[in-house]
Each structure stands twice: as C-alpha cells, then as structure tokens.
C-alpha cells in the first residue's frame, strides 16, 4: 500500500490501482482529493471537511463516493445524491477495495466550555493504517501504521506520547501538523521518537512511503 502525505490531516492511500483519500480539508491542497475513488471524512471541522475539495474530486471522477459520519453527510448529501454514505462506530464497509472499520464517536475536548462534536476514526485493511481524526481513539485491534495528530488546539505533547504508547503501532507518521512551525518540529521528533516506544516518522506533503 502506498501512503502519500498531503498537507495537514489529509492522507492518500493507493492499492491495486485504486485511491482512497482521508480528510481533504481546507488546510490541504485544493486538488488533495482529485483522483480519489473513495473519500473518508472524520468530522465536520473545516480543516478536515471542505465541500469545495469534495466537489472537485467527485466531478473529476463520477464514480467516486464519500463515507462519513452523519454531521457531515447531512451537509453534503443533497449535493451528491446517492454518493454519500453515513457511518458510525462499529460499522464496517469496503471502499475502493479497502476494508474499513469505524472507531470512535467524539472529538477530543478542546475546552470544557465548548460542546464536543462527533468524530470517527478509520481502521484500514485490518490495521495496516489507522487515522483517528481529531481524537485519541484506541482501536480494539493491532495497528501497523498510526496517523498521529501531533499538534492541535486540543492536545499537548504528553498526550500524544501516551497515545503512541497505548496504541503501540509499528510506526507513527505525523499528521495534523499544519500549525506546527519548523522551529518546533525537532522538539516533537525527539520527544515522540524517544518516548513513544514506536518508530516515529514524518513525511513532507507530497512525499510517499510503502506501508
């Protein structure tokens, strides 16, 4: 499986000539989802869900479809009739040849005064890859490659390190990093890599790896 990092939380996965894109939001490239056969969206925040990027991808491929939770599906189903599927925790489905399990229900706490929205994570091909969205969800299944949200208004580095320790992936690749400056990256690399207990890796947007 080929994994390509796009900006912020967006990831492209390619296998057997088909492409799955996760979270092509407003911080990602305008064409981040173009070429996708299927798109997964974890929640409604604009850095993960951008209707214009979804529209561009679905217009480019009339067979492309979207899987997402109800809060997003309710906003876009009318624009893409028959092409948006609503999923929730515990659901399983196949999209673009990838087997998907849905894990989690709520976004991480930003502040106690801010109501929590829904959020789901996607476990792909029996644990080959896990993308948690904006939550530190631990799936009840071994994970080979964890897409690790390293920097957000809702987390701190100690929580990120403990999350890697709890999931125990073979490797963790940074995502949710658009707000992380180049000055901070060596600090995050050193601390997560040294304390997380798993191989910690980072891809520049546009770069790829085999997982």
């Amino acid at each position: 499986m080929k994994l390509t990092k796009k900006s912020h939380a967006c990831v492209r996965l390619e296998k057997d000539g088909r492409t799955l894109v996760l979270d092509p939001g407003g911080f990602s490239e305008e064409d981040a989802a173009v070429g996708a056969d299927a798109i997964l969206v974890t929640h409604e925040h604009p850095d993960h869900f951008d209707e214009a990027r979804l529209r561009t991808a679905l217009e480019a491929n009339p067979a492309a479809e979207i899987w997402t939770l109800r809060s997003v599906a309710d906003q876009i189903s009318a624009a893409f009739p028959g092409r948006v599927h609503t999923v929730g925790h515990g659901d399983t489905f196949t999209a673009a040849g990838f087997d998907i399990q849905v894990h989690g229900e709520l976004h991480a706490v930003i502040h106690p005064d801010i109501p929590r929205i829904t959020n789901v994570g996607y476990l792909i091909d029996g644990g080959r890859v896990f993308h948690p969205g904006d939550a530190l969800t631990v799936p009840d299944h071994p994970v080979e490659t964890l897409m690790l949200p390293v920097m957000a208004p809702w987390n701190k580095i100690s929580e990120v390190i403990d999350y890697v320790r709890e999931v125990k992936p073979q490797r963790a690749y940074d995502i949710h990093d658009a707000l992380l400056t180049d000055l901070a990256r060596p600090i995050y690399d050193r601390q997560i890599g040294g304390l997380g207990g798993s191989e910690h890796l980072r891809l520049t947007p546009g770069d790829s790896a085999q997982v």
Side-chain angles (χ1 to χ4, degrees):
M1 185 189 303
K2 179 182 178 182
L3 181 154
T4 301
K5 171 78 164 62
K6 307 299 286 185
S7 293
H8 197 51
C10 183
V11 176
R12 294 175 69 99
L13 299 174
E14 298 173 62
K15 183 185 70 170
D16 299 332
R18 306 189 74 187
T19 301
L20 176 71
V21 174
L22 295 93
D23 279 3
F27 291 175
S28 301
E29 297 80 358
E30 291 187 5
D31 63 350
V34 172
D37 298 290
I39 300 169
L40 310 182
V41 179
T42 62
H43 67 288
E44 65 195 83
H45 282 161
D47 56 325
H48 296 256
F49 160 53
D50 182 85
E51 185 173 341
R53 284 160 174 73
L54 298 180
R55 185 179 296 277
T56 298
L58 268 65
E59 289 175 351
N61 179 5
E65 299 178 78
I66 299 169
W67 281 260
T68 187
L69 71 183
R70 183 168 301 282
S71 60
V72 172
D74 286 348
Q75 298 183 53
I76 58 173
S77 293
F80 310 117
R83 301 172 72 182
V84 179
H85 310 277
T86 302
V87 298
H89 176 70
D91 288 343
T92 60
F93 59 94
T94 300
F98 295 83
D99 294 326
I100 315 294
Q101 299 176 19
V102 183
H103 291 265
E105 298 180 272
L106 290 173
H107 191 287
V109 174
I110 301 172
H111 186 277
D113 289 353
I114 300 176
R116 294 175 74 181
I117 63 169
T118 50
N119 176 96
V120 294
Y122 297 104
L123 187 74
I124 299 163
D125 279 357
R128 295 273 298 281
V129 175
F130 181 60
H131 190 308
D134 275 8
L136 301 180
T137 302
V138 179
D140 57 356
H141 196 287
V143 173
E144 293 181 21
T145 300
L146 174 65
M147 307 315 300
L148 180 65
V150 292
M151 195 277 181
W154 48 266
N155 73 17
K156 56 186 179 180
I157 197 166
S158 64
E159 296 171 334
V160 175
I161 291 166
D162 286 345
Y163 182 51
V164 176
R165 289 179 173 182
E166 191 169 3
V167 176
K168 297 181 178 67
Q170 293 180 21
R171 66 193 70 86
Y173 278 100
D174 286 355
I175 59 167
H176 214 286
D177 56 355
L179 301 180
L180 189 64
T181 71
D182 289 341
L183 287 173
R185 289 186 187 276
I187 299 171
Y188 276 68
D189 291 344
R190 183 173 65 253
Q191 294 188 356
I192 297 171
L195 298 172
S198 298
E199 184 180 16
H200 175 242
L201 301 161
R202 175 159 48 89
L203 292 170
T204 301
D207 286 351
S208 302
Q210 294 295 322
V211 297

